Amino acid sequence: MKTKCGVLMLIVFITLNSICKAQESPPKTYKEQYRPQIHFSPKEHWTNDPNGMVYFNHTYHLFYQYYPKGSTWGPMHWGHATSADLIHWKERPIALYPDSLGYIFSGSAVVDSNNTSGFGKKGKTPLVAIFTHHDPKGEKEGSDKFQNQSLAYSLDNGNTWTKYKGNPVLRNPGIKDFRDPKVMWYAKEKKWVMTLATKDHITFYSASDLKNWKKESKFGLEIGAHGGVWECPDLFPLKLDGKPYWVLIVNINPGGPNGGSATQYFVGQFDGNKFTPVDTKTRWLDYGPDEYAGITWGNTGARKIFLGWMSNWQYANQVPTEKWRNAMTIPRDITLKKVNGELLLASVPVPELKGIASGGATAVKTKLPAQSLLKMSTASLNDYSITLSNDAGEELVIGYDKKANQYYIDRTKAGKVDFQHDFKGRFVAPRFATAKASDLTLVIDGTSVELFADNGLTTMTTIFFPNKPFYHITTKGISLKQTALKSIWK
Ligand code: FRU
């Protein structure tokens, strides 16, 4: 009797204990509340800009500004993830750690096929990273020269990196904001071209060996948006109907069209020395508040694939996630289009996204899948709205306002909006297309929507944090098709 009772008590104890433990255990990684299911975010801790994006040996490399000891911005490292299809990502060991020259700020990576750098050994092609060393001591001491450009290389497909002993390779001439080198091969003159953000303009440099950089020219002092500091540029050729053009991307913070950080661009010509824009208009690649530091992958041939950080410096440190903070956008194919005589960039989600479709497209009813692709096309564009909601009375409204000729995303009532005063709001973007017909693609994740209207001529990215998932959808003036998307983390 005594022992039976003892066994019973033991069973009760074990059961209670395991119930309590189950309740206490944190949600599994990638299953947490607010975890993006179809976008890259690091397993844990802080991320900002995408860095070193390069395609090599059938692998897309994504490095990113990373602070591995906390979920707010801190001493920067380069985190690393790889993908075969731009959609499923595998996190790799940290690629670059801070050192005596400083934190590892943003930059790019190139495939040095001709071994111009001399880093290649035993016939192995070096991947070379060109990044900004940011010296926090120099900054504190009031020096202007605390940002300098440095190199690191990898001979094993980006798995491990060695910093160049001769760092830095491009010394600061006395410009406080002197950073974010994007390097490309300029085949015509067999040289590398570096596009560098230098406070309120761009400076182009060139080198034959990635080490000895010579100043070529400046661009942008009197052109473009200047509401903030210029950061994270990109320069690349892009054809339209067989005619070659050059695109110069310049991220800016603050001063974006909907407040805070955003991506502007210029279309023009580049002759190896100088960039000449075709006109002087300011243009934005994404009008939403939550695409920043966006640049393109190197070594992808004629295809140009763009990826941005899905946040805004206004509130990136305060968004209500703790284990990790911030994510990247969906990769986008960008092309040039001529609309009313103007050269514009258009962005669309990469077709690889369809690889995670769960079944075919069906008419939208009232239930919204956890992640989805929503689409419509119409012969005649009129006012419309799409409301995502939950039964906590929260909603996100996406739409088109014909009178204003604007697309909009309104997150005023989308759940947690008061963690920072700039977050709450209704954001607008102009319609550039002039045809009566229109189309729309929305990429919906648990905490973000990316809008691509008129074949991507207008693009907006917005994040949100509802207290319960948005599982209802209602539409006015539009009929949508939906395709459910599978989580990339399964
Ligand atoms: C842009 C930026 C870059 C810098 C990095 C630091 O978001 O400010 O200019 O290199 O972030 O993390």
Side-chain angles (χ1 to χ4, degrees):
M1 189 61 202
K2 229 181 171 181
T3 43
K4 257 194 194 167
C5 185
V7 170
L8 204 67
M9 277 175 67
L10 190 70
I11 291 171
V12 170
F13 174 77
I14 291 172
T15 320
L16 275 176
N17 202 27
S18 53
I19 288 174
C20 288
K21 277 219 172 112
Q23 280 173 349
E24 274 165 20
S25 63
K28 283 213 181 92
T29 302
Y30 302 122
K31 299 247 187 222
E32 306 92 344
Q33 188 190 23
Y34 300 144
R35 175 70 83 170
Q37 294 299 315
I38 57 171
H39 293 86
F40 175 78
S41 60
K43 267 188 210 118
E44 42 185 10
H45 301 136
W46 167 271
T47 187
N48 55 290
D49 316 354
N51 294 151
M53 287 148 60
V54 67
Y55 183 62
F56 184 53
N57 279 345
H58 310 286
T59 301
Y60 292 96
H61 290 269
L62 167 62
F63 300 88
Y64 45 91
Q65 288 286 277
Y66 186 52
Y67 180 45
K69 290 193 186 148
S71 295
T72 49
W73 191 89
M76 283 291 108
H77 298 52
W78 272 26
H80 186 200
T82 53
S83 173
D85 64 359
L86 293 162
I87 303 296
H88 296 88
W89 293 97
K90 188 165 168 33
E91 203 167 320
R92 304 278 173 191
I94 291 174
L96 297 173
Y97 287 78
D99 56 38
S100 62
L101 295 176
Y103 302 161
I104 315 297
F105 270 24
S106 288
S108 48
V110 296
V111 179
D112 185 11
S113 313
N114 301 325
N115 197 18
T116 62
S117 61
F119 292 142
K121 275 180 202 103
K122 294 187 193 145
K124 282 189 192 157
T125 299
L127 271 183
V128 182
I130 308 97
F131 59 89
T132 300
H133 255 131
H134 170 102
D135 172 19
K137 268 198 255 131
E139 183 182 24
K140 243 194 199 150
E141 287 159 13
S143 154
D144 278 344
K145 301 187 176 177
F146 55 88
Q147 294 187 336
N148 296 280
Q149 319 318 318
S150 289
L151 305 179
Y153 62 93
S154 169
L155 298 177
D156 59 0
N157 292 313
N159 285 331
T160 58
W161 291 81
T162 308
K163 298 213 186 85
Y164 174 47
K165 290 209 174 68
N167 281 341
V169 290
L170 175 57
R171 284 186 188 273
N172 192 318
I175 304 175
K176 237 186 186 162
D177 298 288
F178 188 74
R179 59 177 179 267
D180 308 341
K182 183 79 163 53
V183 174
M184 59 150 308
W185 179 244
Y186 188 72
K188 225 180 182 175
E189 291 177 21
K190 293 201 172 57
K191 66 183 187 186
W192 299 100
V193 169
M194 179 196 291
T195 306
L196 193 70
T198 47
K199 194 179 167 197
D200 49 3
H201 63 281
I202 294 300
T203 308
F204 296 105
Y205 293 85
S206 70
S208 57
D209 58 359
L210 291 165
K211 292 172 180 162
N212 293 290
W213 294 96
K214 165 181 153 240
K215 187 169 161 181
E216 291 283 351
S217 67
K218 282 187 197 175
F219 169 80
L221 274 170
E222 295 94 26
I223 184 175
H226 282 279
V229 65
W230 283 23
E231 299 183 316
C232 301
D234 193 2
L235 174 76
F236 52 88
L238 203 55
K239 282 191 177 156
L240 173 64
D241 299 331
K243 197 169 175 237
Y245 290 96
W246 286 77
V247 174
L248 175 63
I249 286 178
V250 178
N251 287 277
I252 172 173
N253 176 51
N258 273 297
S261 20
T263 305
Q264 63 178 322
Y265 69 91
F266 306 88
V267 180
Q269 292 300 344
F270 181 72
D271 63 3
N273 162 254
K274 204 168 160 240
F275 179 83
T276 313
V278 293
D279 63 23
T280 55
K281 264 201 187 164
T282 299
R283 296 195 174 86
W284 302 98
L285 197 145
D286 186 313
Y287 276 81
D290 297 308
E291 181 285 303
Y292 189 56
I295 45 169
T296 63
W297 259 278
N299 205 31
T300 54
R303 184 179 182 196
K304 286 318 286 181
I305 312 163
F306 174 92
L307 183 86
W309 175 46
M310 198 153 59
S311 196
N312 189 314
W313 278 116
Q314 288 177 321
Y315 41 72
N317 276 285
Q318 286 104 44
V319 292
T321 62
E322 273 162 29
K323 185 166 171 185
W324 82 99
R325 223 183 230 113
N326 306 316
M328 301 299 164
T329 65
I330 282 294
R332 303 161 183 185
D333 275 322
I334 54 175
T335 52
L336 266 181
K337 293 205 168 150
K338 205 168 225 173
V339 181
N340 287 331
E342 277 187 49
L343 286 163
L344 301 179
L345 277 186
S347 323
V348 293
V350 294
E352 285 87 341
L353 184 60
K354 294 195 191 108
I356 54 169
S358 159
T362 56
V364 158
K365 297 217 173 82
T366 56
K367 202 169 168 292
L368 181 70
Q371 303 87 231
S372 58
L373 198 59
L374 303 179
K375 280 184 177 284
M376 74 95 187
S377 65
T378 175
S380 173
L381 180 63
N382 278 305
D383 278 6
Y384 64 73
S385 69
I386 301 153
T387 304
L388 317 187
S389 61
N390 57 23
D391 58 14
E394 298 165 352
E395 61 177 36
L396 179 90
V397 190
I398 303 149
Y400 172 70
D401 174 347
K402 192 167 186 177
K403 214 163 134 212
N405 198 29
Q406 281 174 340
Y407 294 97
Y408 62 88
I409 300 179
D410 189 345
R411 67 178 171 201
T412 320
K413 292 188 238 157
K416 295 194 176 81
V417 290
D418 294 326
F419 50 85
Q420 197 276 343
H421 57 86
D422 293 307
F423 188 79
K424 199 173 182 169
R426 180 182 184 273
F427 308 102
V428 298
R431 179 174 196 240
F432 294 104
T434 47
K436 257 175 128 190
S438 181
D439 60 79
L440 176 73
T441 299
L442 298 175
V443 178
I444 313 252
D445 203 342
T447 51
S448 63
V449 56
E450 291 159 275
L451 172 152
F452 305 90
D454 306 304
N455 287 313
L457 279 177
T458 299
T459 302
M460 295 179 88
T461 304
T462 305
I463 56 173
F464 47 82
F465 301 94
N467 286 298
K468 285 181 174 181
F470 287 141
Y471 29 68
H472 299 308
I473 177 165
T474 52
T475 59
K476 267 191 218 153
I478 191 177
S479 41
L480 284 169
K481 288 250 158 103
Q482 76 184 26
T483 308
L485 300 175
K486 291 181 246 174
S487 170
I488 62 172
W489 301 118
K490 277 178 188 151

